[in-house]
Amino acid sequence: MPRIHQLVDRLAVDPPQSPQSYQVTLSELKSHLDTSPDDLDLDTIEALSQHANPYLSWCSSEGAALVLEIVDTSCPGRKIDDFVEEKVVPRMQTLPSSQKTTSAGYAAKRTLGGLKPRLGFTQSEPEPSTPETTYSMIYFCISCQHKGTWYSSRWSLVTSFVLKVLDNPSAVIKIQGCRLLDHFLSFPQATSLLDRTGLRDLFSESSKVCLTYLPGLTPLDQSLPLLDIAYGVMFKLEGKNVLKMLDLLSGILRAILSKINEPEIQNSEYKLPILLLQKLKECLGTLEHRFVASLSRINYTLNQVIVNPGATEHEMGAAMVSEAVKVQLFMISTAESYGNECLKLVTSYKLDMLGAWAVALKRFDDENLPKAIQEGYRRLKQLDEKDEQLQKAVSAISTNFNVAFT
């Protein structure tokens, strides 16, 4: 058997092997193709495509990087064109298409109508499951959109598949859909394509549904990864739409308050508000100075997190409070970079910040939290060394709370 066929056989994922073993094979394949590039046929490219998605169980980021190196050095664009036509298109034709798009891949026109009654007790058949290798094949296509000419006429293979995956009710599958979309959005040409085809709103609607998969309704180990990637995708999709970004911001604030006000929160459940606070910081960074439109609600929410009495009973409660203080520090830094007017708006809440910080210092015995709070105080002090209001507040806090800011 030729050497190239031996290597391709070792890349088979049925049954899957460890990512490390595949990485060794990919490295050997790269070395082989460096000296014998003509051995790269469509079967080899298909085998490579099954290792391009680093988020599948048999893949790794190192292996995916090797796949891209092989494509860049040994695979001409015409072979990617042939691979798409002869391998990807037939597989996509076996899968159900999204009803939200036309056959050409554009957003379909929406029709208004009433409910469509059914006669009898008919039950729709469940859709066939999508092989996991398809997720990697599409991830590979996204990575190779600059190779050959296929993308100009076959881009809908990617967008229709990703939209269909996003609309699957399974949280696990939605995670894969968001990761595919996130990868797609990392390429500059995605922006013009989404706007030209009307797909931006469709992707935004489908991604926004993922934000409802909260713990309690969804297992924690599925909910948190989904929320993490879904918020990131939403920020990329709507980052230039201030109104939609402010709406996302409001949703994050509501979700934080809803969770911290639940009775008897378990230690592991603080992972949700910690993640939401991290996403709040990311949202503020995307909005830049425009976040001041919601400044009072942001300040209220962060202070409610910091003084939350239930957080003192759990180790992760202190981590949540530290995360909230970090958001406040980020707000100060961001405002500072946009001039005095923006900074004055943020620092007008400095007494609220100091009061909440004093409560937290009094309640928590945590080595990391005081560092974050003291950094916050130093930042406020540096902005105006002669701020008498700040000095009086610190003095009063020191006297009444026996808490020292340094």
Side-chain angles (χ1 to χ4, degrees):
M1 180 184 293
R3 173 66 171 161
I4 187 69
H5 293 165
Q6 294 176 1
L7 293 170
V8 169
D9 286 347
R10 284 166 53 187
L11 289 176
V13 296
D14 186 17
Q17 307 299 316
S18 70
Q20 294 77 17
S21 66
Y22 286 129
Q23 190 175 332
V24 171
T25 303
L26 287 167
S27 183
E28 292 179 19
L29 179 59
K30 181 179 183 303
S31 298
H32 177 81
L33 291 173
D34 284 343
T35 57
S36 305
D38 291 340
D39 284 354
L40 184 69
D41 57 15
L42 297 188
D43 289 337
T44 304
I45 297 175
E46 183 175 24
L48 286 171
S49 75
Q50 296 176 357
H51 299 271
N53 186 338
Y55 302 106
L56 296 175
S57 60
W58 64 83
C59 299
S60 65
S61 56
E62 294 83 4
L66 279 170
V67 169
L68 291 182
E69 286 183 36
I70 293 171
V71 170
D72 287 339
T73 58
S74 304
C75 186
R78 57 180 175 77
K79 287 192 175 182
I80 295 297
D81 291 338
D82 292 341
F83 166 71
V84 170
E85 291 300 323
E86 297 185 31
K87 297 290 187 178
V88 181
V89 171
R91 181 177 293 201
M92 292 299 106
Q93 290 173 340
T94 66
L95 302 175
S97 59
S98 174
Q99 296 180 354
K100 294 182 177 180
T101 58
T102 66
S103 58
Y106 289 76
K109 291 183 179 180
R110 306 187 187 197
T111 57
L112 297 177
L115 295 175
K116 296 180 180 180
R118 293 181 179 179
L119 297 176
F121 297 94
T122 57
Q123 185 175 3
S124 58
E125 295 183 3
E127 292 183 356
S129 60
T130 302
E132 279 192 286
T133 52
T134 308
Y135 301 130
S136 194
M137 178 180 278
I138 294 299
Y139 198 98
F140 177 82
C141 288
I142 295 172
S143 300
C144 295
Q145 57 186 267
H146 63 289
K147 300 282 287 188
T149 60
W150 71 272
Y151 189 71
S152 61
S153 60
R154 290 294 194 180
W155 52 265
S156 62
L157 291 173
V158 171
T159 54
S160 296
F161 178 77
V162 175
L163 191 59
K164 188 67 178 178
V165 176
L166 281 173
D167 289 338
N168 190 292
S170 165
V172 174
I173 294 177
K174 281 184 178 294
I175 291 171
Q176 289 294 341
C178 284
R179 285 171 173 163
L180 287 170
L181 179 55
D182 184 62
H183 186 46
F184 174 72
L185 293 173
S186 67
F187 290 83
Q189 54 266 45
T191 298
S192 60
L193 176 66
L194 293 181
D195 292 335
R196 186 176 75 251
T197 58
L199 291 174
R200 183 181 297 276
D201 288 343
L202 291 184
F203 277 122
S204 183
E205 290 171 8
S206 294
S207 300
K208 195 171 184 179
V209 171
C210 299
L211 305 183
T212 65
Y213 279 60
L214 297 169
L217 300 173
T218 307
L220 193 67
D221 62 346
Q222 296 177 19
S223 173
L224 295 183
L226 178 55
L227 292 173
D228 187 12
I229 186 65
Y231 271 113
V233 164
M234 287 298 297
F235 297 155
K236 287 184 178 181
L237 285 169
E238 305 295 359
K240 294 183 179 180
N241 189 318
V242 177
L243 292 179
K244 288 189 177 181
M245 285 300 301
L246 289 173
D247 182 59
L248 284 169
L249 174 62
S250 296
I252 294 173
L253 297 178
R254 287 194 301 269
I256 292 172
L257 289 173
S258 176
K259 188 60 186 179
I260 66 172
N261 287 325
E262 287 182 5
E264 300 181 3
I265 302 177
Q266 301 301 313
N267 187 55
S268 62
E269 293 182 277
Y270 281 99
K271 291 180 180 180
L272 175 60
I274 289 173
L275 173 65
L276 291 172
L277 286 164
Q278 293 167 349
K279 294 303 162 182
L280 173 60
K281 182 178 174 182
E282 191 176 337
C283 185
L284 297 178
T286 304
L287 277 165
E288 299 176 329
H289 63 285
R290 301 175 187 87
F291 75 81
V292 296
S294 299
L295 191 54
S296 61
R297 284 183 293 165
I298 298 170
N299 177 68
Y300 172 78
T301 302
L302 293 175
N303 283 346
Q304 288 296 302
V305 171
I306 294 170
V307 303
N308 184 265
T312 59
E313 301 175 8
H314 302 283
E315 180 182 351
M316 294 197 71
M320 176 187 71
V321 173
S322 293
E323 205 64 49
V325 175
K326 291 177 184 176
V327 175
Q328 291 175 319
L329 291 174
F330 180 77
M331 289 167 58
I332 295 171
S333 298
T334 302
E336 196 172 9
S337 65
Y338 285 98
N340 288 333
E341 291 302 316
C342 187
L343 185 59
K344 285 179 181 178
L345 287 172
V346 173
T347 55
S348 66
Y349 293 93
K350 61 190 173 187
L351 299 186
D352 292 339
M353 294 180 188
L354 282 173
W357 294 346
V359 171
L361 286 174
K362 194 71 175 177
R363 285 179 174 173
F364 287 95
D365 182 19
D366 180 85
E367 61 179 16
N368 294 317
L369 181 57
K371 294 178 183 178
I373 290 176
Q374 299 298 354
E375 174 62 22
Y377 169 66
R378 284 193 292 272
R379 292 299 306 278
L380 290 176
K381 187 177 179 181
Q382 287 171 0
L383 296 174
D384 188 354
E385 292 284 353
K386 298 179 181 180
D387 189 338
E388 294 183 3
Q389 190 183 36
L390 183 66
Q391 293 173 3
K392 288 180 181 179
V394 170
S395 177
I397 288 171
S398 177
T399 301
N400 296 303
F401 281 83
N402 193 28
V403 171
F405 289 102
T406 57

